[in-house]
Amino acid sequence: MHAQQEVEIRDRAYALWQEEGSPEGRDQEFWYRAEQALAEQADVDSSEQAAEASQPTPPAGPPMH
């Protein structure tokens, strides 16, 4: 795991932990949930980029018939 990725997971896990009222003894649960959320976010981002890249650029000007 890269250091930056670990920082992102830690920050997300901490935010989730605070949202849940800072319960004790559930650190692994929040770490896992943060990993899942970031993985899903990365998949969505990749899909959007791929969709944009696969769309052809329309020709300039009015259509010719």
Side-chain angles (χ1 to χ4, degrees):
M1 179 179 307
H2 300 317
Q4 180 61 34
Q5 184 181 19
E6 187 172 334
V7 169
E8 291 174 5
I9 294 169
R10 185 182 313 123
D11 290 346
R12 180 65 64 94
Y14 183 73
L16 292 170
W17 176 73
Q18 286 185 314
E19 289 172 10
E20 294 282 327
S22 309
E24 292 187 30
R26 294 172 51 194
D27 53 324
Q28 290 181 343
E29 172 192 343
F30 291 108
W31 187 271
Y32 176 75
R33 287 173 51 190
E35 283 181 317
Q36 293 300 108
L38 290 171
E40 289 173 10
Q41 181 181 353
D43 287 344
V44 170
D45 291 346
S46 297
S47 298
E48 289 173 0
Q49 290 171 356
E52 289 174 8
S54 66
Q55 296 296 321
T57 305
M64 297 186 164
H65 293 291

